[in-house]
């Protein structure tokens, strides 16, 4: 059973089950006896008292995560020709050099020490990042030799190349493979007319992750494939927990340079509704893990966090994937002699907390989105809050029943 109350201008749903009231936004909960559950349903004053206990105080700002994030483009070369790729306007095919890797490693180790953080996530991206296997192995070996820093590695890959070697190279590895049903995959992720899904499935199947490693599948959603999601879950069932541990969906972005080949008419609001009310129940139905997501506290993203950044294979440095290469304000060669330069040249972003962005303090969606980031000027996505609570509701109903209490 659900009830509504307002928390800091945000309409919040409370899920009431036997002995428990749960704030579907934050995850805060209050234990109740059977008598108190009855009072909560019928006594407005008592319900208000419980809701006050479920209300999380408004944070004064975002938290700085206890880790740094570095994205490294190992190459711009790719073995597919995806219609929706965000790099289709870039015609050059650089590949990271060993000299550039040395400079990147020097900056990462300096940043960890100067910031006082001892943990960093290394995000490998391309092109197809695993094309640059020797360079990636060299990068991982150099970072793993550091005594005072711990690293985890995350790779976005199309899965067309072998994956096992990356799991052997480092202890803490997560790989995300974007995959949809063959009829959609082979249309939008073109490979000279060949069906690449069998090869991708084979490469995934050969991975044996340990307890600190993971393989995830991302379902790239658009207006033409939402109805395929249940068939997709049945199709990938043989990979479940062997080795794939997680499945999620992402709404494909549009870019003007792709419009002749691809345009996704699925709006953010439509995707958010589908994900919270359709995709999550299907994931739960087919046994995939979907956990309760707590909205607060909000943490700084990679772009706004000091020290964190993105390195391009040609040496340019931006703050994250949302900043394109032509917007770069410095490069690796300059950071090599002046590592503190990054925080200075991007000070307008690195010193700004999205939580306090103009207009965000009165927005009910802020606890979920964290406030307007530098890349979201003029944009707002209130449906993210509805998606968040809808997904949490489905998780609670799955475990406790839809007619709980």
């Amino acid at each position: 059973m659900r009830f509504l109350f307002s928390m800091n201008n945000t309409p919040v749903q409370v899920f009431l089950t036997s002995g428990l009231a749960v704030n579907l936004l934050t995850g805060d909960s209050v234990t109740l006896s059977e008598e108190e559950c009855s009072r909560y349903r019928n006594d407005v004053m008592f319900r208000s008292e419980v809701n006050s206990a479920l209300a999380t105080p408004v944070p004064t700002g975002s938290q700085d995560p206890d880790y740094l994030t570095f994205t490294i483009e190992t190459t711009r070369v790719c073995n597919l020709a995806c219609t929706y790729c965000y790099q289709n306007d870039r015609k050059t095919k650089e590949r990271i050099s060993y000299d550039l890797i040395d400079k990147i490693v020097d900056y990462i180790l300096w940043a960890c020490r100067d910031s006082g953080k001892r943990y960093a996530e290394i995000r490998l991206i391309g092109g197809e990042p695993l094309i640059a296997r020797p360079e990636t192995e060299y990068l991982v070996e150099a970072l793993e030799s550091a005594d005072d820093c711990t690293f985890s590695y995350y790779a976005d890959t199309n899965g067309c190349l072998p994956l096992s070697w990356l799991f052997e190279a480092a202890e803490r590895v997560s790989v995300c493979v974007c995959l949809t049903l063959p009829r959609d995959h082979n249309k939008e992720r073109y490979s000279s007319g060949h069906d690449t899904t069998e090869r991708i499935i084979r490469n995934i199947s050969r991975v044996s992750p340990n307890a600190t490693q993971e393989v995830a599948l991302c379902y790239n959603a658009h207006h033409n494939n939402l109805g395929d999601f249940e068939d997709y879950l049945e199709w990938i069932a043989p990979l479940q927990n062997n080795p794939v541990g997680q499945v999620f969906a992402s709404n494909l972005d549009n870019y003007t340079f792709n419009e002749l080949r691809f345009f996704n008419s699925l709006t953010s609001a439509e995707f958010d509704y589908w994900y919270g009310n359709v995709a999550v129940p299907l994931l739960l139905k087919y046994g995939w893990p979907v956990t309760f997501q707590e909205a607060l506290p909000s943490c700084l993203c990679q772009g706004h966090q000091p020290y964190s950044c993105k390195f391009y294979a040609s040496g340019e440095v931006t703050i994250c994937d949302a900043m394109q290469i032509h917007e770069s304000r410095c490069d690796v060669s300059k950071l090599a002699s002046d590592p503190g330069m990054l925080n200075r040249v991007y000070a307008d972003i690195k010193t700004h907390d999205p939580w306090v962005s103009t207009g965000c303090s009165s927005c009910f969606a802020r606890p979920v989105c964290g406030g307007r980031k530098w890349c979201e000027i003029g944009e707002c996505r209130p449906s993210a809050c509805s998606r968040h609570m809808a997904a949490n509701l489905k998780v609670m109903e799955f475990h406790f029943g839809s007619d709980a209490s």
Side-chain angles (χ1 to χ4, degrees):
M1 185 176 291
R2 285 175 289 164
F3 295 85
L4 291 174
F5 79 99
S6 179
M7 186 188 83
N8 310 321
N9 298 320
T10 301
V12 175
Q13 296 182 20
V14 174
F15 181 82
L16 184 68
T17 184
S18 180
L20 195 66
V22 182
N23 182 327
L24 291 179
L25 179 69
T26 65
D28 292 322
S29 63
V30 173
T31 301
L32 303 174
S33 65
E34 289 298 323
E35 178 185 355
E36 288 171 330
C37 283
S38 178
R39 287 185 64 193
Y40 185 92
R41 288 192 295 269
N42 302 301
D43 186 332
V44 175
M45 292 296 293
F46 181 74
R47 188 186 311 158
S48 178
E49 292 176 11
V50 174
N51 289 346
S52 295
L54 292 172
T56 299
V58 180
T60 57
S62 302
Q63 288 190 355
D64 186 3
D66 59 0
Y67 61 92
L68 299 177
T69 302
F70 302 99
T71 301
I72 301 175
E73 180 189 67
T74 62
T75 180
R76 293 183 197 170
V77 178
C78 190
N79 47 5
L80 292 183
C82 301
T83 60
Y84 48 75
C85 181
Y86 77 105
Q87 300 208 81
N88 279 339
D89 64 330
R90 295 170 61 191
K91 306 305 180 184
T92 55
K93 303 296 182 182
E94 284 89 348
R95 182 164 171 159
I96 198 168
S97 68
Y98 292 100
D99 178 66
L100 187 60
I101 291 173
D102 289 338
K103 291 182 172 64
I104 290 173
V105 169
D106 286 344
Y107 173 79
I108 290 174
L109 296 180
W110 173 87
C112 289
R113 292 160 186 159
D114 196 65
S115 66
K117 301 182 190 298
R118 293 294 178 262
Y119 179 77
E121 180 177 75
I122 309 299
R123 303 179 68 87
L124 305 173
I125 198 168
E128 167 49 51
L130 301 190
I131 286 177
R133 174 175 174 174
E135 293 88 344
T136 301
E137 290 176 325
Y138 181 83
L139 168 71
V140 172
E141 183 178 358
L143 289 172
E144 291 297 302
S145 65
D147 295 328
D148 52 352
C149 301
T150 300
F151 299 96
S152 65
Y153 304 86
Y154 174 93
D156 274 310
T157 173
N158 57 39
C160 290
L161 294 174
L163 307 172
S164 297
W165 64 267
L166 185 57
F167 289 83
E168 296 167 359
E171 185 68 19
R172 293 162 293 277
V173 175
S174 297
V175 166
C176 178
V177 180
C178 293
L179 186 65
T180 55
L181 285 176
R183 60 177 176 268
D184 181 73
H185 174 92
N186 292 319
K187 177 185 176 184
E188 306 298 349
R189 312 203 79 187
Y190 186 73
S191 179
S192 303
H194 301 297
D195 179 359
T196 56
T197 57
E198 289 186 8
R199 187 196 322 165
I200 294 169
I201 295 294
R202 183 169 62 251
N203 288 334
I204 293 173
S205 299
R206 290 173 176 171
V207 176
S208 299
N210 62 31
T212 59
Q213 299 174 333
E214 182 183 50
V215 178
L217 296 181
C218 175
Y219 187 83
N220 281 340
H222 54 84
H223 65 282
N224 280 330
N225 71 0
L226 292 190
D228 295 338
F229 193 61
E230 185 163 12
D231 290 341
Y232 169 76
L233 294 179
E234 293 178 347
W235 178 60
I236 63 171
L239 297 173
Q240 191 167 16
N241 299 318
N242 186 30
V244 179
Q246 181 185 9
V247 175
F248 63 97
S250 178
N251 192 22
L252 286 172
D253 292 324
N254 290 313
Y255 300 94
T256 55
F257 47 80
N258 286 334
E259 288 180 354
L260 293 178
R261 299 180 63 198
F262 176 85
F263 182 81
N264 180 17
S265 63
L266 183 67
T267 67
S268 294
E270 291 169 338
F271 172 79
D272 287 336
Y273 180 86
W274 171 82
Y275 193 85
N277 294 278
V278 179
V280 168
L282 285 173
L283 288 168
L284 292 167
K285 173 184 175 181
Y286 284 90
W288 291 99
V290 182
T291 58
F292 191 103
Q293 299 295 310
E294 299 177 0
L296 297 173
S298 176
C299 289
L300 291 174
C301 66
Q302 177 182 359
H304 284 277
Q305 187 187 31
Y307 302 95
S308 293
C309 61
K310 175 178 179 176
F311 302 99
Y312 281 89
S314 50
E316 292 88 349
V317 181
T318 63
I319 56 175
C320 63
D321 277 336
M323 180 175 283
Q324 299 302 306
I325 190 170
H326 66 271
E327 300 175 279
S328 172
R329 304 177 191 176
C330 63
D331 57 45
V332 174
S333 62
K334 294 178 181 178
L335 287 186
S337 58
D338 183 10
M341 178 184 184
L342 183 126
N343 288 339
R344 296 197 306 272
V345 298
Y346 291 113
D348 56 317
I349 300 173
K350 295 296 187 182
T351 60
H352 175 68
D353 182 356
W355 185 262
V356 298
S357 294
T358 303
C360 290
S361 61
S362 60
C363 180
F364 68 87
R366 184 172 65 159
V368 173
C369 74
R372 186 175 289 111
K373 302 170 182 62
W374 75 273
C375 59
E376 299 170 332
I377 301 302
E379 299 180 12
C380 190
R381 187 175 173 178
S383 60
C385 189
S386 300
R387 164 187 166 177
H388 177 91
M389 285 192 283
N392 282 343
L393 173 64
K394 299 305 180 183
V395 171
M396 296 299 292
E397 288 181 340
F398 180 80
H399 293 289
F400 292 98
S402 59
D403 58 347
S405 85

